[in-house]
Amino acid sequence: MSEADAARRPTVYDVAQEARVSIASVSFAFRRPDKLSDATRERVLEAARRLGYAPSAAARGLAHGRTGTLGLHAFDLLLERADPLTQTPSFTGLAMPRLDADGVIPWAQTDDDVLSDPRAFPLYVDEVQRGFELECWALGRPVMLSSGAGTDVSVADTAGRVDGLAIFPSPQTAPALARYAPTIPIVLFSAAPGDDHHHRVRVDNAGGMRALADHLVREHGIRDIAFVGRPEASDTAERLIGLQDGLADLGLLLRPQVMDATVRGEDDLVPQLRALIADGRMPRALVCATDQHAFAVLDTLAAEGLRVPDDVVVTGFDGTLAARLSSPPLTTVRQPMEAMGRAAARILAGVAGPADRPFDVVFEPRLVVRRSCGCPG
């Protein structure tokens, strides 16, 4: 065997030639040994051992129309981050690291707030993904992770390679999801019920916010509350409605102005907060749509000299690990994110039960009180 032949990965054709059989016999030796005599099968396997041949799982999957792989696509919660080689800005207020003379990013720069700032990464997605991967590992199913922004191209590419797809949806993903829905099962995270045939894994957003409203009013006597977030997403809209309803049950009204604190690109949060401070109109509590919104609020208030919770109470929603580490530790509504990821994997793998109709798995969130609302701990 020449050096070129040795460097090339052996194929099914090489094994067939070495064993003096057809390529169909090689395939049978690995997948349907009952189709061959013991002598022929042994000759094929011995040839495969000599050549160092291993059958391709992908090729077997394509032959059967299945790959065994489950996909997870993170879309609308992934931020557009800068390429450190082009230094394209990515997140408002954060400077990207610079390359040194040798084209290397110094450790001191990668260890700063740029790459570790919790506002710049999808913390909620991370924990759901962990649960998804752990459950796939337990089920013996390989995982394909993907992400994209702006178009549905990456969604379509992933959907064409997997047996089932879990996704954090956005309006841009709708065309691809509609195309692939008849061919593979699809799980949507944190999406409101719809008239499609997709499975859903979500939490009771409204119920979580009602519990938070009850705590703020009954335990702390707070009566002036504003909402921070963008209600375009269905889960954020549900949280806003839940907060409004919870306050209404207590005879209170939420401030009508919804404050803008998007975690992607430019936002109006800082000027809005500064205007409220200058006019003496700061609410007693800022209830944020997500933990990441709350981190941005905490940073802004600290920069403006306001103390949390003495001057302003701040709360989040998600219950990410970073909420424990913020200053002060963040009162939040925790989603069982790992369990959500595991549930999606089980649905896609077909072990959650017969899917004669779409699953709609609704988890109950849990209120976690910490110092940002004035509680000890």
Side-chain angles (χ1 to χ4, degrees), residues 18-301:
E18 180 77 6
R20 301 184 304 280
V21 297
S22 67
I23 59 173
S25 294
V26 176
S27 177
F28 286 151
F30 289 96
R31 295 190 297 106
R32 296 291 305 277
D34 57 297
K35 292 285 187 179
L36 302 176
S37 68
D38 290 343
T40 300
R41 180 172 183 269
E42 186 54 38
R43 191 164 76 246
V44 171
L45 295 179
E46 178 58 30
R49 283 191 289 269
R50 286 197 302 270
L51 296 174
Y53 169 81
S56 165
R60 291 199 307 272
L62 289 173
H64 291 276
R66 297 179 63 82
T67 67
T69 302
L70 302 180
L72 176 65
H73 187 88
F75 191 93
D76 60 338
L77 295 180
L78 277 178
L79 311 184
E80 296 183 10
R81 295 190 287 274
D83 182 346
L85 299 179
T86 63
Q87 302 301 300
T88 305
S90 63
F91 182 80
T92 304
L94 297 182
M96 287 304 298
R98 299 287 177 177
L99 305 181
D100 64 14
D102 297 321
V104 177
I105 300 177
W107 172 257
Q109 292 187 42
T110 60
D111 194 32
D112 62 13
D113 290 340
V114 174
L115 299 182
S116 61
D117 192 301
R119 298 168 299 170
F121 293 89
L123 304 173
Y124 159 75
V125 173
D126 290 343
E127 295 197 38
V128 175
Q129 176 181 317
R130 178 176 181 272
F132 187 86
E133 291 185 277
L134 285 172
E135 192 64 27
C136 286
W137 177 81
L139 295 170
R141 303 294 293 267
V143 177
M144 175 178 285
L145 303 177
S146 63
S147 63
T151 72
D152 69 347
V153 174
S154 56
V155 178
D157 182 64
T158 303
R161 298 166 181 256
V162 298
D163 291 344
L165 180 64
I167 186 170
F168 299 88
S170 77
Q172 290 88 343
T173 63
L177 296 180
R179 288 197 300 272
Y180 283 96
T183 59
I184 62 170
I186 293 172
V187 173
L188 306 182
F189 288 115
S190 303
D195 57 1
D196 51 58
H197 297 289
H198 303 319
H199 306 291
R200 281 165 170 77
V201 174
R202 55 196 180 96
V203 298
D204 181 4
N205 289 296
M209 275 299 194
R210 284 194 296 269
L212 177 59
D214 189 79
H215 175 77
L216 294 177
V217 175
R218 295 186 186 275
E219 298 298 323
H220 298 285
I222 297 173
R223 305 182 66 82
D224 185 10
I225 299 174
F227 184 78
V228 179
R230 284 190 170 180
E232 289 93 342
S234 63
D235 53 349
T236 304
E238 289 173 356
R239 292 168 195 176
L240 174 57
I241 293 172
L243 180 61
Q244 291 170 329
D245 291 347
L247 292 176
D249 291 342
L250 298 166
L252 300 174
L253 293 176
L254 181 70
R255 280 203 183 187
Q257 180 188 18
V258 174
M259 302 184 66
D260 176 15
T262 180
V263 294
R264 287 201 291 189
E266 296 292 336
D267 63 64
D268 297 324
L269 176 64
V270 173
Q272 285 178 330
L273 288 177
R274 284 176 175 167
L276 291 173
I277 295 169
D279 297 341
R281 296 186 296 109
M282 178 62 66
R284 182 66 187 97
L286 295 170
V287 173
C288 300
T290 70
D291 287 357
Q292 285 174 272
H293 290 130
F295 300 147
V297 169
L298 290 174
D299 286 350
T300 303
L301 294 176

Side-chain angles (χ1 to χ4, degrees), residues 288-363:
C288 300
T290 70
D291 287 357
Q292 285 174 272
H293 290 130
F295 300 147
V297 169
L298 290 174
D299 286 350
T300 303
L301 294 176
E304 296 298 316
L306 271 68
R307 299 167 300 167
V308 176
D310 303 69
D311 299 320
V312 187
V313 162
V314 177
T315 68
F317 198 111
D318 284 334
T320 57
L321 173 61
R324 302 185 201 171
L325 309 176
S326 63
S327 182
L330 185 67
T331 291
T332 185
V333 179
R334 176 161 176 80
Q335 303 189 61
M337 292 167 281
E338 181 180 317
M340 293 168 67
R342 287 181 178 273
R346 293 182 66 81
I347 291 171
L348 295 179
V351 298
D356 51 341
R357 61 181 181 276
F359 285 97
D360 185 18
V361 181
V362 183
F363 286 91

